[in-house]
Amino acid sequence: MKILRQDAATILALLSMLAPAGAALAQAGSRLDGASPPVNGVWVDSLDLGKAMGGRPPRPGLAAFGGRPARGDTPAVPDAPITLGGTVYSHGLGVTANSELWIDLGGKAKRFVASAGIDDARRTGSGSVTFEVWVDGAKRFDSGVIRAGQPATPISVDLTGGKQMILFVGDGGDGAAGDIADWGGAAIVMADGAARPTTTSPPSEPMPVIASSSTDAPRLNSPRVTGTTPGRPFLFRIPVSGKGPLTFAVKNLPAGLKLDSKTGIITGALKQAGRTAITVTVRGPAGTATGEITIVGGPHSLAQTPPLGWNSWNVWGPMVDDGKVRAAADALVTSGLAAQGYTYVNIDDAWEGSRDANGEITSNEKFPDMKALTDYVHSKGLKIGIYSSPGPRTCQQRFAGSYQHEAQDAQTWAKWGFDYIKYDWCSYSEVQATRTGMPPLPTLQKPYRLMRSILDGLDRDLVFSLCQYGWGDVWTWGADVGGNLWRVTGDITDSWTSMSGIGFAQTGHEQYAGPGHWNDTDMLVVGKLGWGRTLRDTHLTPNEQLTHISLWALQAAPLIIGADLSQLDTFTTNLLGNPEVLAVDQDPLGKAAGRTRQQGRAEVWARPLADGTMAVGLFNRDLVAQTITVHWSDIGLSGSQPVRDLWRHEDMGTKRDSLSAVVPRHGVLLVKVGTPKRSGNR
Ligand code: GLA
């Protein structure tokens, strides 16, 4: 590799290509050396980079790799200077895809120059990026997709009169893996006597308006269908919100089940297989509500709709304990979220103790009495989940997995009273003959097939959640091995890059989801999070949070809250508890959305609903607000159609042929389109 320290030379070359400003700037640039910028020039890497967003934090003069890799990332390589086409730049920014740097120019900048590309360290990789320069809300430069190994692209953008510039690196449409991008020798040339530019944050957006999740009048929420195996314990809390005291009555309850008319909790054990529509009537001081709920009885009838609930991992990580799980169950009820259908209270990793003399797993000191805990959760009409891994150890490494104790562990979970098992993969590779590379498909499936057959033999229903990802296309075989849901992604974090990278990559997977088997795009990252460290608010903006929940609901993903439920603010409660949005996620037809149109960073996703209408999301992944259009012809409709805004609970009137709306940066408009043709129950 040719090593040169030649920002100056590159900038000179760039400037000499420019006209008419080129000559003057080239002259100015003639005094450049590797350490000093052009006359009146400011190296972008000399600005405060703390306000940069997206991807890894940019690094002045260094390519954005090295250091500790994120989980699942390629191994760390030592820090290295920005290098493009054999040229080493002593100035510039090393970034990863989806990085944004907003710069306040004060209207006094003349030109931006840089040389951009994928760093030489990844020249043989699969990375692909776009470099974009935006000025005052308009895109002024777009490199198009640049792949690893391509020559660096010279950039020179006239900034005259511009107030705000954004330097953006997109992921080239294929996700951020391998996207180690450099703005080599990036500099802003200012007018004589102008103040230095400063980095800034995007302008704060108005808070998106969402309807309140609480009402005085009783309201029957989702899910409207639930499943059970005849003969096994049945528990269902009728999801009803409204001012109490409420009283419940049910017609046509199948044999073996009984209703508590004060709590709306149905218990018992179904005597026979079959589908039964029950009619629920709820009375309260502010009115009466009536509706149908379907009870499906038969083998493999669980998860008729994607599970709704809470999991300890994104908030408590390995610090989860009995008290925190009880508090989560309490808060599901007091927040009103249980009334909106949230049911599962799931303990993730770090509950495991040692095995006793018979090899039976025990819980550790943080969980003194598992049976008492499950009884407590059940007493509220809620269900409870647990976690393990098919390997000898779980993903936290220090805890026992179920390897060679599979049947014993499943019996223990059932004996304790669990209703849901999240079954990971960690450390299973170690017990396979092939330890490197992708294990063959039968190896990937083996532990799940084994656990499925064990679960089938228990006297208790447990939802089976596969946490397999990273190896092959689990969505194509998750249902086949008996999973009720399967993770299609690595661990989510509360960044726009992570959440949107996962959510918008799901198109094509929708065909594998349906009642009883769902794609799991991982737990929600809204509210107060911490992964066992200091609790803090999600880093997603309010609009990004609406995008998160809308996308998950359209995709019929499980909605498993990852927040501290005892500290929900009003916005988060309404975000998670919006009955019209939850009705999309929980729609009994179970048809997940795919992308129906993509134009730049505007995307439309749509799914058909059981009542014959369509749920449609107009998503804006762009840097600034954009007008987005959905044509009825793209979603199988035509003519005039009524449109309802699901977040606001507002009718938007009738729209002919299409709907256009201005959607905020990283935001969404989620609507229901069409006239219901049949009942929403099936
Ligand atoms: C894996 C899973 C996470 C969590 C942890 C627990 O990383 O993907 O969801 O369960 O293990 O160790």
Side-chain angles (χ1 to χ4, degrees), residues 441-442 444-453 456 464 466 474 476-486:
L441 192 57
L444 289 176
Q445 297 178 336
K446 190 174 160 191
Y448 303 110
R449 287 193 192 282
L450 173 62
M451 184 50 72
R452 175 76 266 168
S453 69
D456 287 347
F464 190 25
L466 318 188
V474 61
T476 62
W477 53 263
D480 196 42
V481 300
N484 293 119
L485 57 155
W486 46 83

PDB file of all heavy atoms in Angstrom, residues 441-442 444-453 456 464 466 474 476-486:
ATOM      1  N   LEU A 441     -27.956 -27.495   8.483  1.00  0.00           N
ATOM      2  CA  LEU A 441     -29.325 -27.226   8.934  1.00  0.00           C
ATOM      3  C   LEU A 441     -29.820 -28.220   9.996  1.00  0.00           C
ATOM      4  O   LEU A 441     -30.377 -27.796  11.022  1.00  0.00           O
ATOM      5  CB  LEU A 441     -30.263 -27.186   7.725  1.00  0.00           C
ATOM      6  CG  LEU A 441     -31.653 -26.630   7.999  1.00  0.00           C
ATOM      7  CD1 LEU A 441     -31.594 -25.222   8.583  1.00  0.00           C
ATOM      8  CD2 LEU A 441     -32.482 -26.628   6.713  1.00  0.00           C
ATOM      9  N   PRO A 442     -29.607 -29.526   9.817  1.00  0.00           N
ATOM     10  CA  PRO A 442     -30.104 -30.445  10.853  1.00  0.00           C
ATOM     11  C   PRO A 442     -29.499 -30.156  12.228  1.00  0.00           C
ATOM     12  O   PRO A 442     -30.168 -30.328  13.249  1.00  0.00           O
ATOM     13  CB  PRO A 442     -29.668 -31.829  10.340  1.00  0.00           C
ATOM     14  CG  PRO A 442     -29.462 -31.654   8.872  1.00  0.00           C
ATOM     15  CD  PRO A 442     -29.022 -30.235   8.680  1.00  0.00           C
ATOM     16  N   LEU A 444     -28.580 -27.149  13.282  1.00  0.00           N
ATOM     17  CA  LEU A 444     -29.245 -25.938  13.780  1.00  0.00           C
ATOM     18  C   LEU A 444     -30.611 -26.275  14.367  1.00  0.00           C
ATOM     19  O   LEU A 444     -31.048 -25.694  15.355  1.00  0.00           O
ATOM     20  CB  LEU A 444     -29.451 -24.937  12.640  1.00  0.00           C
ATOM     21  CG  LEU A 444     -28.218 -24.246  12.084  1.00  0.00           C
ATOM     22  CD1 LEU A 444     -28.599 -23.361  10.907  1.00  0.00           C
ATOM     23  CD2 LEU A 444     -27.575 -23.394  13.166  1.00  0.00           C
ATOM     24  N   GLN A 445     -31.280 -27.211  13.736  1.00  0.00           N
ATOM     25  CA  GLN A 445     -32.658 -27.505  14.139  1.00  0.00           C
ATOM     26  C   GLN A 445     -32.751 -28.475  15.306  1.00  0.00           C
ATOM     27  O   GLN A 445     -33.754 -28.494  16.031  1.00  0.00           O
ATOM     28  CB  GLN A 445     -33.414 -28.099  12.943  1.00  0.00           C
ATOM     29  CG  GLN A 445     -33.515 -27.130  11.780  1.00  0.00           C
ATOM     30  CD  GLN A 445     -34.229 -27.743  10.594  1.00  0.00           C
ATOM     31  OE1 GLN A 445     -34.259 -28.964  10.454  1.00  0.00           O
ATOM     32  NE2 GLN A 445     -34.797 -26.913   9.744  1.00  0.00           N
ATOM     33  N   LYS A 446     -31.702 -29.272  15.468  1.00  0.00           N
ATOM     34  CA  LYS A 446     -31.777 -30.401  16.405  1.00  0.00           C
ATOM     35  C   LYS A 446     -32.231 -30.016  17.825  1.00  0.00           C
ATOM     36  O   LYS A 446     -33.170 -30.631  18.360  1.00  0.00           O
ATOM     37  CB  LYS A 446     -30.410 -31.094  16.443  1.00  0.00           C
ATOM     38  CG  LYS A 446     -30.407 -32.400  17.181  1.00  0.00           C
ATOM     39  CD  LYS A 446     -29.047 -33.062  17.022  1.00  0.00           C
ATOM     40  CE  LYS A 446     -28.871 -34.085  18.124  1.00  0.00           C
ATOM     41  NZ  LYS A 446     -27.523 -34.578  18.193  1.00  0.00           N
ATOM     42  N   PRO A 447     -31.601 -29.006  18.449  1.00  0.00           N
ATOM     43  CA  PRO A 447     -32.015 -28.738  19.830  1.00  0.00           C
ATOM     44  C   PRO A 447     -33.457 -28.256  19.932  1.00  0.00           C
ATOM     45  O   PRO A 447     -34.120 -28.485  20.949  1.00  0.00           O
ATOM     46  CB  PRO A 447     -31.041 -27.653  20.288  1.00  0.00           C
ATOM     47  CG  PRO A 447     -30.507 -27.044  19.043  1.00  0.00           C
ATOM     48  CD  PRO A 447     -30.524 -28.120  17.995  1.00  0.00           C
ATOM     49  N   TYR A 448     -33.929 -27.605  18.873  1.00  0.00           N
ATOM     50  CA  TYR A 448     -35.303 -27.088  18.909  1.00  0.00           C
ATOM     51  C   TYR A 448     -36.314 -28.209  18.683  1.00  0.00           C
ATOM     52  O   TYR A 448     -37.356 -28.246  19.330  1.00  0.00           O
ATOM     53  CB  TYR A 448     -35.458 -25.946  17.893  1.00  0.00           C
ATOM     54  CG  TYR A 448     -34.462 -24.845  18.169  1.00  0.00           C
ATOM     55  CD1 TYR A 448     -33.387 -24.601  17.329  1.00  0.00           C
ATOM     56  CD2 TYR A 448     -34.549 -24.103  19.350  1.00  0.00           C
ATOM     57  CE1 TYR A 448     -32.444 -23.621  17.619  1.00  0.00           C
ATOM     58  CE2 TYR A 448     -33.614 -23.120  19.658  1.00  0.00           C
ATOM     59  CZ  TYR A 448     -32.561 -22.890  18.791  1.00  0.00           C
ATOM     60  OH  TYR A 448     -31.634 -21.933  19.099  1.00  0.00           O
ATOM     61  N   ARG A 449     -35.976 -29.122  17.773  1.00  0.00           N
ATOM     62  CA  ARG A 449     -36.869 -30.281  17.573  1.00  0.00           C
ATOM     63  C   ARG A 449     -36.963 -31.093  18.868  1.00  0.00           C
ATOM     64  O   ARG A 449     -38.039 -31.557  19.255  1.00  0.00           O
ATOM     65  CB  ARG A 449     -36.337 -31.177  16.448  1.00  0.00           C
ATOM     66  CG  ARG A 449     -36.503 -30.588  15.065  1.00  0.00           C
ATOM     67  CD  ARG A 449     -36.252 -31.660  14.002  1.00  0.00           C
ATOM     68  NE  ARG A 449     -36.124 -31.095  12.676  1.00  0.00           N
ATOM     69  CZ  ARG A 449     -37.136 -30.691  11.917  1.00  0.00           C
ATOM     70  NH1 ARG A 449     -38.379 -30.781  12.362  1.00  0.00           N
ATOM     71  NH2 ARG A 449     -36.920 -30.189  10.725  1.00  0.00           N
ATOM     72  N   LEU A 450     -35.809 -31.245  19.516  1.00  0.00           N
ATOM     73  CA  LEU A 450     -35.794 -32.017  20.766  1.00  0.00           C
ATOM     74  C   LEU A 450     -36.690 -31.347  21.813  1.00  0.00           C
ATOM     75  O   LEU A 450     -37.550 -31.993  22.423  1.00  0.00           O
ATOM     76  CB  LEU A 450     -34.345 -32.127  21.279  1.00  0.00           C
ATOM     77  CG  LEU A 450     -34.158 -32.760  22.646  1.00  0.00           C
ATOM     78  CD1 LEU A 450     -34.641 -34.208  22.637  1.00  0.00           C
ATOM     79  CD2 LEU A 450     -32.688 -32.698  23.087  1.00  0.00           C
ATOM     80  N   MET A 451     -36.495 -30.047  21.992  1.00  0.00           N
ATOM     81  CA  MET A 451     -37.294 -29.357  23.017  1.00  0.00           C
ATOM     82  C   MET A 451     -38.780 -29.363  22.649  1.00  0.00           C
ATOM     83  O   MET A 451     -39.640 -29.519  23.514  1.00  0.00           O
ATOM     84  CB  MET A 451     -36.772 -27.929  23.219  1.00  0.00           C
ATOM     85  CG  MET A 451     -37.458 -27.146  24.319  1.00  0.00           C
ATOM     86  SD  MET A 451     -37.572 -28.011  25.931  1.00  0.00           S
ATOM     87  CE  MET A 451     -35.865 -27.963  26.480  1.00  0.00           C
ATOM     88  N   ARG A 452     -39.088 -29.240  21.345  1.00  0.00           N
ATOM     89  CA  ARG A 452     -40.494 -29.269  20.933  1.00  0.00           C
ATOM     90  C   ARG A 452     -41.142 -30.597  21.346  1.00  0.00           C
ATOM     91  O   ARG A 452     -42.239 -30.617  21.895  1.00  0.00           O
ATOM     92  CB  ARG A 452     -40.590 -29.081  19.416  1.00  0.00           C
ATOM     93  CG  ARG A 452     -41.969 -29.207  18.800  1.00  0.00           C
ATOM     94  CD  ARG A 452     -42.823 -27.989  19.045  1.00  0.00           C
ATOM     95  NE  ARG A 452     -43.659 -28.136  20.220  1.00  0.00           N
ATOM     96  CZ  ARG A 452     -44.337 -27.130  20.784  1.00  0.00           C
ATOM     97  NH1 ARG A 452     -44.254 -25.903  20.319  1.00  0.00           N
ATOM     98  NH2 ARG A 452     -45.079 -27.346  21.834  1.00  0.00           N
ATOM     99  N   SER A 453     -40.418 -31.690  21.108  1.00  0.00           N
ATOM    100  CA  SER A 453     -41.032 -32.988  21.418  1.00  0.00           C
ATOM    101  C   SER A 453     -41.195 -33.138  22.929  1.00  0.00           C
ATOM    102  O   SER A 453     -42.160 -33.743  23.393  1.00  0.00           O
ATOM    103  CB  SER A 453     -40.226 -34.133  20.808  1.00  0.00           C
ATOM    104  OG  SER A 453     -38.995 -34.234  21.479  1.00  0.00           O
ATOM    105  N   ASP A 456     -44.223 -31.075  23.987  1.00  0.00           N
ATOM    106  CA  ASP A 456     -45.476 -31.748  23.595  1.00  0.00           C
ATOM    107  C   ASP A 456     -45.916 -32.775  24.634  1.00  0.00           C
ATOM    108  O   ASP A 456     -47.105 -33.062  24.767  1.00  0.00           O
ATOM    109  CB  ASP A 456     -45.317 -32.432  22.231  1.00  0.00           C
ATOM    110  CG  ASP A 456     -45.283 -31.418  21.098  1.00  0.00           C
ATOM    111  OD1 ASP A 456     -45.628 -30.244  21.344  1.00  0.00           O
ATOM    112  OD2 ASP A 456     -44.895 -31.794  19.970  1.00  0.00           O
ATOM    113  N   PHE A 464     -43.310 -21.534  22.799  1.00  0.00           N
ATOM    114  CA  PHE A 464     -41.921 -21.897  22.489  1.00  0.00           C
ATOM    115  C   PHE A 464     -41.295 -20.795  21.629  1.00  0.00           C
ATOM    116  O   PHE A 464     -41.631 -20.623  20.463  1.00  0.00           O
ATOM    117  CB  PHE A 464     -41.924 -23.235  21.743  1.00  0.00           C
ATOM    118  CG  PHE A 464     -40.573 -23.864  21.559  1.00  0.00           C
ATOM    119  CD1 PHE A 464     -39.509 -23.586  22.423  1.00  0.00           C
ATOM    120  CD2 PHE A 464     -40.362 -24.767  20.516  1.00  0.00           C
ATOM    121  CE1 PHE A 464     -38.268 -24.187  22.248  1.00  0.00           C
ATOM    122  CE2 PHE A 464     -39.122 -25.376  20.336  1.00  0.00           C
ATOM    123  CZ  PHE A 464     -38.075 -25.088  21.196  1.00  0.00           C
ATOM    124  N   LEU A 466     -37.997 -19.441  19.997  1.00  0.00           N
ATOM    125  CA  LEU A 466     -36.622 -19.761  19.617  1.00  0.00           C
ATOM    126  C   LEU A 466     -35.830 -18.461  19.552  1.00  0.00           C
ATOM    127  O   LEU A 466     -36.281 -17.494  18.950  1.00  0.00           O
ATOM    128  CB  LEU A 466     -36.533 -20.402  18.233  1.00  0.00           C
ATOM    129  CG  LEU A 466     -37.525 -21.464  17.798  1.00  0.00           C
ATOM    130  CD1 LEU A 466     -37.066 -22.061  16.470  1.00  0.00           C
ATOM    131  CD2 LEU A 466     -37.674 -22.534  18.828  1.00  0.00           C
ATOM    132  N   VAL A 474     -33.599 -18.660   9.811  1.00  0.00           N
ATOM    133  CA  VAL A 474     -34.479 -19.351  10.756  1.00  0.00           C
ATOM    134  C   VAL A 474     -35.955 -19.171  10.412  1.00  0.00           C
ATOM    135  O   VAL A 474     -36.776 -20.044  10.679  1.00  0.00           O
ATOM    136  CB  VAL A 474     -34.164 -18.916  12.206  1.00  0.00           C
ATOM    137  CG1 VAL A 474     -34.390 -17.429  12.391  1.00  0.00           C
ATOM    138  CG2 VAL A 474     -34.975 -19.715  13.212  1.00  0.00           C
ATOM    139  N   THR A 476     -37.369 -19.475   7.704  1.00  0.00           N
ATOM    140  CA  THR A 476     -37.863 -20.477   6.751  1.00  0.00           C
ATOM    141  C   THR A 476     -38.145 -21.821   7.428  1.00  0.00           C
ATOM    142  O   THR A 476     -38.843 -22.653   6.869  1.00  0.00           O
ATOM    143  CB  THR A 476     -36.864 -20.710   5.593  1.00  0.00           C
ATOM    144  OG1 THR A 476     -35.643 -21.210   6.161  1.00  0.00           O
ATOM    145  CG2 THR A 476     -36.584 -19.439   4.818  1.00  0.00           C
ATOM    146  N   TRP A 477     -37.593 -22.044   8.638  1.00  0.00           N
ATOM    147  CA  TRP A 477     -37.806 -23.349   9.277  1.00  0.00           C
ATOM    148  C   TRP A 477     -38.270 -23.280  10.737  1.00  0.00           C
ATOM    149  O   TRP A 477     -38.524 -24.313  11.357  1.00  0.00           O
ATOM    150  CB  TRP A 477     -36.554 -24.234   9.168  1.00  0.00           C
ATOM    151  CG  TRP A 477     -35.256 -23.623   9.655  1.00  0.00           C
ATOM    152  CD1 TRP A 477     -34.305 -23.012   8.886  1.00  0.00           C
ATOM    153  CD2 TRP A 477     -34.750 -23.587  11.007  1.00  0.00           C
ATOM    154  NE1 TRP A 477     -33.250 -22.593   9.670  1.00  0.00           N
ATOM    155  CE2 TRP A 477     -33.501 -22.936  10.974  1.00  0.00           C
ATOM    156  CE3 TRP A 477     -35.225 -24.035  12.242  1.00  0.00           C
ATOM    157  CZ2 TRP A 477     -32.720 -22.717  12.114  1.00  0.00           C
ATOM    158  CZ3 TRP A 477     -34.452 -23.815  13.388  1.00  0.00           C
ATOM    159  CH2 TRP A 477     -33.228 -23.165  13.307  1.00  0.00           C
ATOM    160  N   GLY A 478     -38.432 -22.061  11.264  1.00  0.00           N
ATOM    161  CA  GLY A 478     -38.836 -21.926  12.667  1.00  0.00           C
ATOM    162  C   GLY A 478     -40.159 -22.621  12.963  1.00  0.00           C
ATOM    163  O   GLY A 478     -40.325 -23.290  13.991  1.00  0.00           O
ATOM    164  N   ALA A 479     -41.125 -22.484  12.048  1.00  0.00           N
ATOM    165  CA  ALA A 479     -42.439 -23.113  12.269  1.00  0.00           C
ATOM    166  C   ALA A 479     -42.313 -24.628  12.146  1.00  0.00           C
ATOM    167  O   ALA A 479     -42.940 -25.383  12.891  1.00  0.00           O
ATOM    168  CB  ALA A 479     -43.451 -22.580  11.262  1.00  0.00           C
ATOM    169  N   ASP A 480     -41.473 -25.047  11.235  1.00  0.00           N
ATOM    170  CA  ASP A 480     -41.296 -26.474  10.975  1.00  0.00           C
ATOM    171  C   ASP A 480     -40.768 -27.223  12.199  1.00  0.00           C
ATOM    172  O   ASP A 480     -41.128 -28.381  12.440  1.00  0.00           O
ATOM    173  CB  ASP A 480     -40.298 -26.573   9.808  1.00  0.00           C
ATOM    174  CG  ASP A 480     -40.312 -27.928   9.190  1.00  0.00           C
ATOM    175  OD1 ASP A 480     -41.421 -28.450   9.032  1.00  0.00           O
ATOM    176  OD2 ASP A 480     -39.218 -28.454   8.899  1.00  0.00           O
ATOM    177  N   VAL A 481     -39.917 -26.574  12.988  1.00  0.00           N
ATOM    178  CA  VAL A 481     -39.402 -27.243  14.194  1.00  0.00           C
ATOM    179  C   VAL A 481     -40.312 -26.977  15.391  1.00  0.00           C
ATOM    180  O   VAL A 481     -39.969 -27.317  16.525  1.00  0.00           O
ATOM    181  CB  VAL A 481     -37.942 -26.841  14.521  1.00  0.00           C
ATOM    182  CG1 VAL A 481     -37.022 -27.198  13.374  1.00  0.00           C
ATOM    183  CG2 VAL A 481     -37.817 -25.361  14.867  1.00  0.00           C
ATOM    184  N   GLY A 482     -41.442 -26.343  15.151  1.00  0.00           N
ATOM    185  CA  GLY A 482     -42.433 -26.182  16.216  1.00  0.00           C
ATOM    186  C   GLY A 482     -42.285 -24.920  17.037  1.00  0.00           C
ATOM    187  O   GLY A 482     -42.844 -24.819  18.128  1.00  0.00           O
ATOM    188  N   GLY A 483     -41.566 -23.933  16.509  1.00  0.00           N
ATOM    189  CA  GLY A 483     -41.452 -22.662  17.239  1.00  0.00           C
ATOM    190  C   GLY A 483     -42.730 -21.851  17.113  1.00  0.00           C
ATOM    191  O   GLY A 483     -43.355 -21.843  16.055  1.00  0.00           O
ATOM    192  N   ASN A 484     -43.108 -21.176  18.194  1.00  0.00           N
ATOM    193  CA  ASN A 484     -44.216 -20.232  18.114  1.00  0.00           C
ATOM    194  C   ASN A 484     -43.723 -18.862  17.660  1.00  0.00           C
ATOM    195  O   ASN A 484     -44.493 -18.049  17.157  1.00  0.00           O
ATOM    196  CB  ASN A 484     -44.922 -20.076  19.460  1.00  0.00           C
ATOM    197  CG  ASN A 484     -45.632 -21.345  19.873  1.00  0.00           C
ATOM    198  OD1 ASN A 484     -45.323 -21.925  20.905  1.00  0.00           O
ATOM    199  ND2 ASN A 484     -46.562 -21.791  19.049  1.00  0.00           N
ATOM    200  N   LEU A 485     -42.441 -18.616  17.897  1.00  0.00           N
ATOM    201  CA  LEU A 485     -41.799 -17.402  17.404  1.00  0.00           C
ATOM    202  C   LEU A 485     -40.307 -17.677  17.358  1.00  0.00           C
ATOM    203  O   LEU A 485     -39.812 -18.562  18.058  1.00  0.00           O
ATOM    204  CB  LEU A 485     -42.122 -16.180  18.269  1.00  0.00           C
ATOM    205  CG  LEU A 485     -41.804 -16.204  19.750  1.00  0.00           C
ATOM    206  CD1 LEU A 485     -41.605 -14.786  20.256  1.00  0.00           C
ATOM    207  CD2 LEU A 485     -42.931 -16.854  20.537  1.00  0.00           C
ATOM    208  N   TRP A 486     -39.619 -16.940  16.505  1.00  0.00           N
ATOM    209  CA  TRP A 486     -38.181 -17.144  16.360  1.00  0.00           C
ATOM    210  C   TRP A 486     -37.527 -15.811  16.091  1.00  0.00           C
ATOM    211  O   TRP A 486     -38.008 -15.004  15.320  1.00  0.00           O
ATOM    212  CB  TRP A 486     -37.876 -18.119  15.209  1.00  0.00           C
ATOM    213  CG  TRP A 486     -38.658 -17.781  13.985  1.00  0.00           C
ATOM    214  CD1 TRP A 486     -38.350 -16.839  13.041  1.00  0.00           C
ATOM    215  CD2 TRP A 486     -39.928 -18.338  13.606  1.00  0.00           C
ATOM    216  NE1 TRP A 486     -39.334 -16.783  12.093  1.00  0.00           N
ATOM    217  CE2 TRP A 486     -40.306 -17.694  12.413  1.00  0.00           C
ATOM    218  CE3 TRP A 486     -40.753 -19.323  14.154  1.00  0.00           C
ATOM    219  CZ2 TRP A 486     -41.497 -17.992  11.754  1.00  0.00           C
ATOM    220  CZ3 TRP A 486     -41.938 -19.619  13.493  1.00  0.00           C
ATOM    221  CH2 TRP A 486     -42.298 -18.958  12.307  1.00  0.00           C
TER     222      TRP A 486
END
